[in-house]
Amino acid sequence: MSSYAFGVLIALLVPLSHGLANILDSDFANRHFRSLSVLIFFCQLTKLALLPVIILISPPSFIDAPMGLIVLVIALVEVLYQYPYYQALRHADTSIVTSLFSLGKITVPFVAFFSVGEHLSLLQYAGFFATIVSGAVLTLDVRKSKMNRAFVLMIAVSISLEMQLVLYKYAFEHGGTWGTIAVWSTLFEVLIASMFMLSPRNQIEFVSATKKLKHMGPRFLLTQLMSWIGEQATSYALFLIPVTVCVGIADIQSLAVLSFAALLKHKYPELFHEDIERSNVWQKVLLLSLTAVGTALIIAGGGNHFR
Protein backbone atom coordinates (compact mmCIF):
# COMPACT_ATOMS: atom_id res chain seq x y z
CA MET A 1 0.00 0.00 0.00
CA SER A 2 1.35 3.43 -0.95
CA SER A 3 1.89 6.10 1.69
CA TYR A 4 -0.82 8.18 -0.01
CA ALA A 5 -3.39 5.37 0.25
CA PHE A 6 -2.44 4.70 3.87
CA GLY A 7 -2.74 8.41 4.63
CA VAL A 8 -6.25 8.43 3.15
CA LEU A 9 -7.23 5.46 5.32
CA ILE A 10 -5.93 7.23 8.43
CA ALA A 11 -7.73 10.42 7.43
CA LEU A 12 -11.02 8.50 7.09
CA LEU A 13 -10.89 7.83 10.83
CA VAL A 14 -11.26 11.56 11.40
CA PRO A 15 -14.88 12.14 10.29
CA LEU A 16 -16.05 8.95 12.03
CA SER A 17 -14.41 9.62 15.39
CA HIS A 18 -15.05 13.36 15.32
CA GLY A 19 -18.63 12.77 14.18
CA LEU A 20 -19.37 10.70 17.27
CA ALA A 21 -17.56 13.25 19.42
CA ASN A 22 -19.69 16.06 17.91
CA ILE A 23 -22.88 14.28 18.99
CA LEU A 24 -21.65 13.82 22.55
CA ASP A 25 -20.21 17.36 22.61
CA SER A 26 -23.67 18.71 21.82
CA ASP A 27 -25.16 16.75 24.68
CA PHE A 28 -22.61 18.08 27.17
CA ALA A 29 -22.86 21.67 25.94
CA ASN A 30 -26.67 21.68 25.96
CA ARG A 31 -27.47 19.68 29.09
CA HIS A 32 -24.55 19.29 31.47
CA PHE A 33 -22.14 22.26 31.47
CA ARG A 34 -23.11 25.88 32.01
CA SER A 35 -19.51 27.13 31.83
CA LEU A 36 -17.74 26.35 28.58
CA SER A 37 -14.38 27.15 30.19
CA VAL A 38 -14.87 24.29 32.64
CA LEU A 39 -15.91 21.90 29.87
CA ILE A 40 -12.85 22.84 27.80
CA PHE A 41 -10.58 22.50 30.84
CA PHE A 42 -11.81 18.94 31.45
CA CYS A 43 -11.24 18.17 27.77
CA GLN A 44 -7.63 19.31 27.99
CA LEU A 45 -7.02 17.31 31.17
CA THR A 46 -8.18 14.19 29.35
CA LYS A 47 -5.74 14.88 26.52
CA LEU A 48 -2.98 15.33 29.10
CA ALA A 49 -3.76 11.89 30.52
CA LEU A 50 -3.37 10.38 27.02
CA LEU A 51 0.09 11.84 26.45
CA PRO A 52 1.90 8.58 27.40
CA VAL A 53 0.32 6.91 24.36
CA ILE A 54 1.83 9.51 22.04
CA ILE A 55 5.20 9.38 23.80
CA LEU A 56 5.28 5.59 23.45
CA ILE A 57 4.50 5.74 19.71
CA SER A 58 6.63 8.76 18.81
CA PRO A 59 9.01 10.03 21.52
CA PRO A 60 9.12 13.85 21.50
CA SER A 61 12.16 16.10 21.48
CA PHE A 62 12.83 19.66 22.60
CA ILE A 63 11.87 22.48 20.24
CA ASP A 64 13.54 25.81 19.50
CA ALA A 65 11.89 29.23 19.86
CA PRO A 66 10.57 29.58 16.26
CA MET A 67 9.01 26.11 16.35
CA GLY A 68 7.72 26.82 19.86
CA LEU A 69 5.90 29.89 18.56
CA ILE A 70 4.21 27.86 15.82
CA VAL A 71 3.16 25.17 18.31
CA LEU A 72 1.88 27.84 20.70
CA VAL A 73 -0.37 29.25 17.97
CA ILE A 74 -1.60 25.72 17.16
CA ALA A 75 -2.45 25.22 20.84
CA LEU A 76 -4.10 28.63 21.15
CA VAL A 77 -6.37 27.86 18.19
CA GLU A 78 -7.17 24.43 19.65
CA VAL A 79 -8.42 25.94 22.90
CA LEU A 80 -10.12 29.10 21.64
CA TYR A 81 -12.05 27.56 18.72
CA GLN A 82 -14.01 25.45 21.20
CA TYR A 83 -15.87 28.47 22.61
CA PRO A 84 -17.73 29.41 19.40
CA TYR A 85 -18.01 25.71 18.48
CA TYR A 86 -19.88 24.78 21.67
CA GLN A 87 -22.01 27.93 21.38
CA ALA A 88 -22.98 26.93 17.84
CA LEU A 89 -24.02 23.47 19.10
CA ARG A 90 -26.49 25.25 21.38
CA HIS A 91 -28.15 26.98 18.44
CA ALA A 92 -28.38 24.41 15.62
CA ASP A 93 -28.63 20.71 14.76
CA THR A 94 -25.36 18.87 15.25
CA SER A 95 -25.09 17.74 11.61
CA ILE A 96 -25.60 21.32 10.39
CA VAL A 97 -22.98 22.71 12.76
CA THR A 98 -20.62 19.99 11.59
CA SER A 99 -21.29 20.82 7.94
CA LEU A 100 -20.40 24.44 8.62
CA PHE A 101 -16.79 23.39 9.24
CA SER A 102 -16.56 23.55 5.43
CA LEU A 103 -16.99 27.34 5.44
CA GLY A 104 -13.30 27.93 6.02
CA LYS A 105 -12.16 25.45 3.40
CA ILE A 106 -12.27 27.98 0.59
CA THR A 107 -9.10 29.54 2.03
CA VAL A 108 -7.16 26.27 2.28
CA PRO A 109 -5.98 25.82 -1.34
CA PHE A 110 -4.58 29.35 -1.44
CA VAL A 111 -2.92 29.29 1.98
CA ALA A 112 -1.51 25.79 1.35
CA PHE A 113 -0.10 26.95 -1.99
CA PHE A 114 1.67 30.01 -0.59
CA SER A 115 2.90 28.39 2.65
CA VAL A 116 3.85 24.80 1.72
CA GLY A 117 3.68 24.85 -2.08
CA GLU A 118 0.72 22.53 -2.66
CA HIS A 119 -0.91 22.56 -6.11
CA LEU A 120 -4.46 21.38 -6.83
CA SER A 121 -5.79 19.76 -9.99
CA LEU A 122 -8.96 21.03 -11.69
CA LEU A 123 -10.75 17.95 -10.34
CA GLN A 124 -9.87 18.96 -6.79
CA TYR A 125 -11.02 22.54 -7.32
CA ALA A 126 -14.36 21.09 -8.47
CA GLY A 127 -14.47 19.00 -5.30
CA PHE A 128 -13.88 22.01 -3.08
CA PHE A 129 -16.57 23.96 -4.94
CA ALA A 130 -19.09 21.13 -4.39
CA THR A 131 -18.40 20.89 -0.65
CA ILE A 132 -18.59 24.64 -0.10
CA VAL A 133 -21.84 25.03 -2.08
CA SER A 134 -23.51 22.13 -0.27
CA GLY A 135 -22.58 23.61 3.11
CA ALA A 136 -23.92 27.04 2.13
CA VAL A 137 -27.23 25.69 0.78
CA LEU A 138 -27.71 23.50 3.84
CA THR A 139 -27.27 26.55 6.03
CA LEU A 140 -29.71 28.67 4.05
CA ASP A 141 -32.32 25.92 4.35
CA VAL A 142 -32.53 26.42 8.10
CA ARG A 143 -35.47 28.70 8.90
CA LYS A 144 -34.72 29.33 12.56
CA SER A 145 -33.25 32.74 13.23
CA LYS A 146 -30.83 31.17 15.72
CA MET A 147 -29.02 29.60 12.79
CA ASN A 148 -27.65 33.01 11.84
CA ARG A 149 -25.65 33.04 15.05
CA ALA A 150 -24.38 29.51 14.47
CA PHE A 151 -23.37 30.49 10.94
CA VAL A 152 -21.27 33.43 12.14
CA LEU A 153 -19.75 31.40 14.97
CA MET A 154 -18.74 28.58 12.66
CA ILE A 155 -17.10 30.92 10.15
CA ALA A 156 -14.63 31.83 12.89
CA VAL A 157 -14.23 28.18 13.91
CA SER A 158 -13.73 26.78 10.41
CA ILE A 159 -11.22 29.38 9.23
CA SER A 160 -9.23 29.02 12.45
CA LEU A 161 -9.05 25.23 12.14
CA GLU A 162 -8.05 25.31 8.47
CA MET A 163 -5.22 27.71 9.32
CA GLN A 164 -4.24 25.37 12.14
CA LEU A 165 -3.93 22.47 9.67
CA VAL A 166 -1.58 24.51 7.52
CA LEU A 167 0.52 25.33 10.60
CA TYR A 168 0.70 21.62 11.42
CA LYS A 169 1.91 20.88 7.91
CA TYR A 170 4.45 23.72 8.09
CA ALA A 171 5.79 22.40 11.41
CA PHE A 172 6.16 18.87 10.01
CA GLU A 173 7.94 20.10 6.90
CA HIS A 174 10.40 22.07 9.03
CA GLY A 175 11.65 19.20 11.15
CA GLY A 176 8.88 18.62 13.70
CA THR A 177 7.89 15.01 14.32
CA TRP A 178 4.33 13.92 15.04
CA GLY A 179 5.13 13.10 18.68
CA THR A 180 7.01 16.36 19.27
CA ILE A 181 4.25 18.60 17.90
CA ALA A 182 1.47 16.61 19.59
CA VAL A 183 3.12 16.57 23.02
CA TRP A 184 4.17 20.22 23.12
CA SER A 185 0.85 21.47 21.75
CA THR A 186 -1.02 19.47 24.40
CA LEU A 187 1.12 20.96 27.18
CA PHE A 188 0.49 24.47 25.85
CA GLU A 189 -3.24 23.75 25.57
CA VAL A 190 -3.48 22.68 29.21
CA LEU A 191 -1.62 25.82 30.27
CA ILE A 192 -3.92 28.09 28.24
CA ALA A 193 -7.10 26.35 29.44
CA SER A 194 -5.86 26.60 33.03
CA MET A 195 -5.63 30.37 32.76
CA PHE A 196 -9.39 30.59 32.21
CA MET A 197 -9.91 28.63 35.43
CA LEU A 198 -8.50 31.50 37.49
CA SER A 199 -11.97 33.05 37.41
CA PRO A 200 -13.81 32.47 40.75
CA ARG A 201 -17.02 31.77 38.84
CA ASN A 202 -15.35 29.01 36.83
CA GLN A 203 -13.83 27.55 39.99
CA ILE A 204 -17.30 27.26 41.55
CA GLU A 205 -18.63 25.63 38.38
CA PHE A 206 -15.63 23.28 38.35
CA VAL A 207 -16.63 21.88 41.76
CA SER A 208 -20.21 21.38 40.60
CA ALA A 209 -19.14 19.78 37.30
CA THR A 210 -16.76 17.41 39.08
CA LYS A 211 -19.72 15.95 40.99
CA LYS A 212 -21.64 15.49 37.73
CA LEU A 213 -18.72 13.68 36.14
CA LYS A 214 -19.02 10.92 38.70
CA HIS A 215 -22.30 9.92 37.01
CA MET A 216 -21.39 10.63 33.38
CA GLY A 217 -17.68 9.82 33.52
CA PRO A 218 -17.65 6.92 30.99
CA ARG A 219 -19.61 8.97 28.44
CA PHE A 220 -17.31 11.95 28.89
CA LEU A 221 -14.20 9.78 28.53
CA LEU A 222 -15.65 8.23 25.35
CA THR A 223 -16.24 11.73 23.95
CA GLN A 224 -12.70 12.83 24.66
CA LEU A 225 -11.23 9.57 23.36
CA MET A 226 -13.09 9.97 20.05
CA SER A 227 -12.02 13.60 19.81
CA TRP A 228 -8.41 12.68 20.62
CA ILE A 229 -8.35 9.90 18.02
CA GLY A 230 -9.69 12.32 15.41
CA GLU A 231 -7.16 15.00 16.29
CA GLN A 232 -4.16 12.65 16.29
CA ALA A 233 -5.33 10.90 13.10
CA THR A 234 -5.50 14.32 11.44
CA SER A 235 -1.98 15.29 12.45
CA TYR A 236 -0.57 11.87 11.48
CA ALA A 237 -2.35 11.89 8.12
CA LEU A 238 -0.70 15.24 7.39
CA PHE A 239 2.63 13.39 7.42
CA LEU A 240 1.44 11.32 4.47
CA ILE A 241 -1.02 13.34 2.38
CA PRO A 242 -1.47 16.99 1.42
CA VAL A 243 -3.42 19.43 3.57
CA THR A 244 -6.11 19.86 0.94
CA VAL A 245 -6.83 16.13 0.70
CA CYS A 246 -6.95 15.77 4.49
CA VAL A 247 -9.38 18.71 4.70
CA GLY A 248 -11.54 17.32 1.90
CA ILE A 249 -11.93 13.93 3.56
CA ALA A 250 -13.10 15.61 6.76
CA ASP A 251 -16.12 16.98 4.84
CA ILE A 252 -18.01 13.69 5.23
CA GLN A 253 -18.11 14.26 8.99
CA SER A 254 -21.58 15.83 8.86
CA LEU A 255 -22.88 12.83 6.91
CA ALA A 256 -21.48 10.57 9.63
CA VAL A 257 -23.27 12.63 12.30
CA LEU A 258 -26.59 12.40 10.45
CA SER A 259 -26.14 8.64 9.98
CA PHE A 260 -25.47 8.14 13.70
CA ALA A 261 -28.59 10.17 14.51
CA ALA A 262 -30.83 8.24 12.10
CA LEU A 263 -29.62 4.92 13.52
CA LEU A 264 -29.48 5.73 17.23
CA LYS A 265 -31.76 8.66 18.12
CA HIS A 266 -34.81 6.49 18.76
CA LYS A 267 -32.79 4.40 21.22
CA TYR A 268 -30.89 7.29 22.84
CA PRO A 269 -33.07 10.39 22.26
CA GLU A 270 -31.39 12.42 25.00
CA LEU A 271 -28.02 12.29 23.21
CA PHE A 272 -29.08 13.88 19.95
CA HIS A 273 -29.74 17.53 19.17
CA GLU A 274 -30.90 16.65 15.67
CA ASP A 275 -34.09 16.96 13.62
CA ILE A 276 -34.58 13.64 11.81
CA GLU A 277 -38.07 14.20 10.44
CA ARG A 278 -38.32 12.50 7.04
CA SER A 279 -38.52 15.68 4.93
CA ASN A 280 -35.58 17.24 6.74
CA VAL A 281 -33.46 14.10 6.64
CA TRP A 282 -33.77 13.60 2.89
CA GLN A 283 -32.85 17.21 2.22
CA LYS A 284 -29.84 16.91 4.51
CA VAL A 285 -28.81 13.60 2.94
CA LEU A 286 -28.95 15.11 -0.55
CA LEU A 287 -26.79 18.08 0.36
CA LEU A 288 -24.40 16.13 2.55
CA SER A 289 -24.03 13.55 -0.23
CA LEU A 290 -22.90 16.38 -2.48
CA THR A 291 -20.26 17.02 0.16
CA ALA A 292 -19.21 13.37 -0.07
CA VAL A 293 -18.96 13.62 -3.87
CA GLY A 294 -16.77 16.67 -3.46
CA THR A 295 -14.59 14.73 -1.05
CA ALA A 296 -14.23 11.87 -3.56
CA LEU A 297 -13.12 14.35 -6.24
CA ILE A 298 -10.51 15.83 -3.90
CA ILE A 299 -9.10 12.39 -3.07
CA ALA A 300 -9.18 11.19 -6.70
CA GLY A 301 -7.25 14.25 -7.83
CA GLY A 302 -4.57 13.84 -5.16
CA GLY A 303 -1.35 11.95 -5.00
CA ASN A 304 0.04 13.07 -8.37
CA HIS A 305 -0.73 16.78 -8.40
CA PHE A 306 1.28 17.98 -5.43
CA ARG A 307 4.91 18.78 -5.13
Side-chain angles (χ1 to χ4, degrees):
M1 181 183 293
S2 68
S3 61
Y4 180 79
F6 184 65
V8 168
L9 287 177
I10 294 295
L12 284 171
L13 288 174
V14 177
L16 296 176
S17 57
H18 270 164
L20 181 56
N22 291 150
I23 292 167
L24 296 169
D25 280 342
S26 180
D27 180 50
F28 285 116
N30 281 289
R31 297 201 305 136
H32 300 295
F33 284 86
R34 289 178 297 176
S35 170
L36 294 181
S37 293
V38 174
L39 174 56
I40 293 168
F41 180 66
F42 276 121
C43 294
Q44 303 313 130
L45 288 182
T46 307
K47 290 175 65 175
L48 185 65
L50 290 168
L51 273 188
V53 178
I54 299 176
I55 294 172
L56 182 64
I57 297 173
S58 178
S61 58
F62 288 102
I63 53 178
D64 57 20
M67 183 65 75
L69 181 59
I70 293 172
V71 175
L72 178 61
V73 175
I74 288 173
L76 194 62
V77 170
E78 186 65 29
V79 174
L80 296 184
Y81 96 82
Q82 295 181 70
Y83 286 92
Y85 162 66
Y86 283 119
Q87 284 288 355
L89 287 173
R90 289 174 171 174
H91 293 282
D93 284 2
T94 308
S95 65
I96 293 177
V97 170
T98 305
S99 74
L100 294 177
F101 279 112
S102 66
L103 291 172
K105 289 176 172 50
I106 193 170
T107 64
V108 173
F110 307 104
V111 175
F113 171 77
F114 287 111
S115 61
V116 293
E118 290 186 2
H119 293 263
L120 273 72
S121 67
L122 290 177
L123 195 64
Q124 289 175 302
Y125 278 116
F128 267 95
F129 179 77
T131 60
I132 292 166
V133 167
S134 63
V137 174
L138 185 62
T139 304
L140 292 174
D141 179 66
V142 179
R143 295 186 177 89
K144 297 179 181 179
S145 59
K146 288 183 178 180
M147 191 58 219
N148 292 331
R149 186 175 182 185
F151 181 83
V152 173
L153 290 168
M154 289 305 294
I155 287 177
V157 169
S158 58
I159 292 177
S160 298
L161 290 179
E162 306 319 327
M163 298 305 101
Q164 185 195 52
L165 282 181
V166 175
L167 287 174
Y168 266 119
K169 190 70 173 181
Y170 184 88
F172 292 147
E173 293 195 350
H174 287 76
T177 66
W178 173 65
T180 297
I181 304 303
V183 168
W184 282 102
S185 63
T186 298
L187 294 176
F188 282 141
E189 288 166 26
V190 173
L191 179 62
I192 295 167
S194 298
M195 294 174 64
F196 289 97
M197 295 304 298
L198 296 176
S199 164
R201 181 179 178 181
N202 286 335
Q203 292 174 11
I204 294 172
E205 177 64 19
F206 175 81
V207 175
S208 174
T210 302
K211 296 177 181 178
K212 293 180 182 178
L213 280 179
K214 293 179 180 179
H215 303 288
M216 56 184 180
R219 185 184 299 179
F220 184 81
L221 290 177
L222 175 63
T223 306
Q224 299 314 308
L225 180 61
M226 290 298 100
S227 181
W228 182 83
I229 289 173
E231 182 181 337
Q232 302 312 320
T234 298
S235 62
Y236 190 77
L238 286 170
F239 265 127
L240 306 172
I241 59 178
V243 176
T244 42
V245 176
C246 194
V247 167
I249 292 172
D251 277 329
I252 64 173
Q253 187 171 320
S254 51
L255 197 57
V257 170
L258 189 60
S259 299
F260 285 135
L263 291 171
L264 300 173
K265 184 173 181 178
H266 295 298
K267 189 172 183 180
Y268 305 102
E270 74 282 357
L271 284 182
F272 293 90
H273 187 212
E274 191 74 43
D275 182 359
I276 57 171
E277 293 297 323
R278 180 169 295 183
S279 59
N280 246 338
V281 166
W282 282 114
Q283 195 167 38
K284 288 179 180 178
V285 167
L286 178 63
L287 292 168
L288 296 179
S289 295
L290 179 60
T291 296
V293 170
T295 298
L297 291 175
I298 293 168
I299 296 172
N304 298 316
H305 299 280
F306 297 84
R307 70 183 184 187

